[in-house]
Structure formats: C-alpha cells, structure tokens
Amino acid sequence: MAFRRILSSAVGRRSAIAAAAAGNAREASTAVAAGPGVLAPDAPPTRAPVMPYDRIAEAVNARLRRLEHPDPRFLRYANPVPTHADHTAILAAPETRVTTLPNGLRVATESSLAARTATVGVWIDAGSRYENEEAAGVAHFVEHMLFKGTGKRSAVQLEKEIEDMGGHLNAYTSREQTTYYAKVLDKDVSRAMEVLADILQNSNLDEDRIEREREVILREMEEVWPLMC
C-alpha cells in the first residue's frame, strides 16, 4: 500500500511538470508564430499612427458637417449653400437706344412689346447748376410758366386734353436738367408728343401770369428756407 501511494504521487508530480512544460511551449510557439510587430491575442490593442492625409480628410468632413448643420447666427445674414439666382427680370429689361437727329436732338427709346402704356418726355440740360446769381431759380420759374397755356390751348384745355386720354402731364427741375413728361396709353403717344411740343414752343408768358407765379414761387421759398437753415 505504501509503495502504491508513493508511485501514484510520483506519477501525479510528473504529469504536473509535463503539463506546465507543455503550456510554456504553447506560449512560446504563439509568440514565435506571431512574429515581430504582431500582437498576441491577449495583448491590449494599440492605436494606429495618424497620417497627415487622415487629418486633412477629417478637417474636410468636419467642414461638410458644418455646412449641413450651420450655425443659426450665420443663417441670419447669409446662406452657406450656393443657390441659383434668377436674373430674368434684369436680362428682360428693354435695351436703351439713342438716336441723334440731324438737328442734334438726341432721342432715347426703350421698347417693350408687352407694354400698353408709354412715357414720353423732354429732358433739357438747363438745371440750377447752370444759373448765375442773377438768374437763380429761372429754370424752376419757367417750368411753372409752361403749364399756363399756349397759343391754341388754355391751361384748362391742357389739363382736360391730357385727362381725357387717361394720361398724366408733369415736370420737375433738378440741378442738372429740367424735364417735361407725359404718361399715356400707347395709342396716344403722338397726341402726347404734340402737347409737349406745344407747351415747349408756344407757351404764353403774360405779365399778369408771371406776377402771379412769382408770388407762388416766393411762398414755396418761404416754406423751404427754414429747412435749409
């Protein structure tokens, strides 16, 4: 019995030593098979080095993400996404053509086939900048006088003729020009031009009308002068 116990304990000790040796051999073979630069299964994973082009790609992706979800403060003033701009209205504007007549008169025209109304006018290079101290205000004064009647139309007839056409007759004076114009239907352009030609060439400048108009302009000056001081 004693001999059998001694033999079994010796066999168990030998088996344990063999098992330990076999385990060490397996670990060594795994390390050798993995080779240099390859991690063992139980080793913690290491992070791959970041290349420069990876950083660039990440920066580009970050910018694209900002475009998809822009800062709302930026959207108050602009849109980061390119949009189509419609310039049809600008491109559809009629071309301005300037024709010089033999007498030196320049005629500027813009034509639109879809329009049924027309504006005709005369722009005269005689504004306030061309006046000296003695003639200051003459351009504005003459503008008022030209609507007081002509040789064949009184002031009332002028107004009635334009209103019967459904048109509008007016004038204004600026530093550069004095302008007389009429807005009428396209079929009444010739009549409007005849009225403008009549008031520009055949206006009556009666002394009584001049004195009355002088009072009107002086009242206008009294209204404007406090605003200029």
Side-chain angles (χ1 to χ4, degrees):
M1 293 293 292
F3 179 77
R4 188 175 295 174
R5 276 197 215 95
I6 293 171
L7 182 61
S8 61
S9 62
V11 171
R13 191 179 299 113
R14 186 178 299 169
S15 299
I17 294 172
N24 293 335
R26 282 198 300 271
E27 292 179 1
S29 63
T30 302
V32 172
V38 180
L39 299 177
D42 297 335
T46 59
R47 189 173 181 179
V50 180
M51 303 300 291
Y53 56 80
D54 292 332
R55 295 193 183 95
I56 297 174
E58 180 59 30
V60 171
N61 290 331
R63 292 181 181 180
L64 292 176
R65 286 193 294 270
R66 285 199 298 270
L67 289 178
E68 295 175 357
H69 305 284
D71 189 338
R73 294 173 297 178
F74 181 76
L75 291 179
R76 291 177 56 188
Y77 308 102
N79 186 356
V81 181
T83 57
H84 175 69
D86 187 8
H87 299 289
T88 304
I90 299 175
L91 298 177
E95 178 186 2
T96 302
R97 299 181 179 181
V98 180
T99 306
T100 303
L101 301 181
N103 61 1
L105 184 67
R106 290 176 298 170
V107 180
T109 58
E110 292 182 358
S111 177
S112 177
L113 298 178
R116 300 308 305 272
T117 60
T119 301
V120 292
V122 179
W123 281 257
I124 304 171
D125 290 334
S128 59
R129 66 171 296 182
Y130 302 103
E131 300 171 348
N132 54 28
E133 186 175 354
E134 295 179 356
V138 169
H140 186 206
F141 189 85
V142 172
E143 174 207 320
H144 280 242
M145 290 301 303
L146 293 192
F147 291 95
K148 302 306 178 183
T150 67
K152 60 181 181 180
R153 293 182 176 92
S154 65
V156 175
Q157 289 175 331
L158 277 173
E159 295 179 4
K160 186 175 184 303
E161 186 170 355
I162 293 295
E163 289 180 357
D164 288 346
M165 289 187 286
H168 174 71
L169 182 66
N170 207 344
Y172 65 86
T173 305
S174 66
R175 283 185 53 82
E176 304 289 339
Q177 296 171 327
T178 302
T179 303
Y180 305 86
Y181 65 94
K183 296 182 177 181
V184 294
L185 296 175
D186 56 351
K187 64 184 181 64
D188 297 321
V189 169
S190 59
R191 294 176 60 189
M193 288 297 298
E194 198 275 329
V195 171
L196 287 173
D198 190 27
I199 65 175
L200 288 172
Q201 300 178 85
N202 306 312
S203 288
N204 291 328
L205 304 179
D206 296 335
E207 289 293 334
D208 293 339
R209 291 186 177 276
I210 291 176
E211 290 301 323
R212 288 199 298 269
E213 201 61 33
R214 188 196 307 274
E215 296 297 327
V216 173
I217 292 179
L218 288 175
R219 285 198 301 270
E220 290 181 354
M221 292 177 62
E222 291 176 357
E223 295 174 358
V224 175
W225 183 253
L227 302 177
M228 301 177 61
C229 296

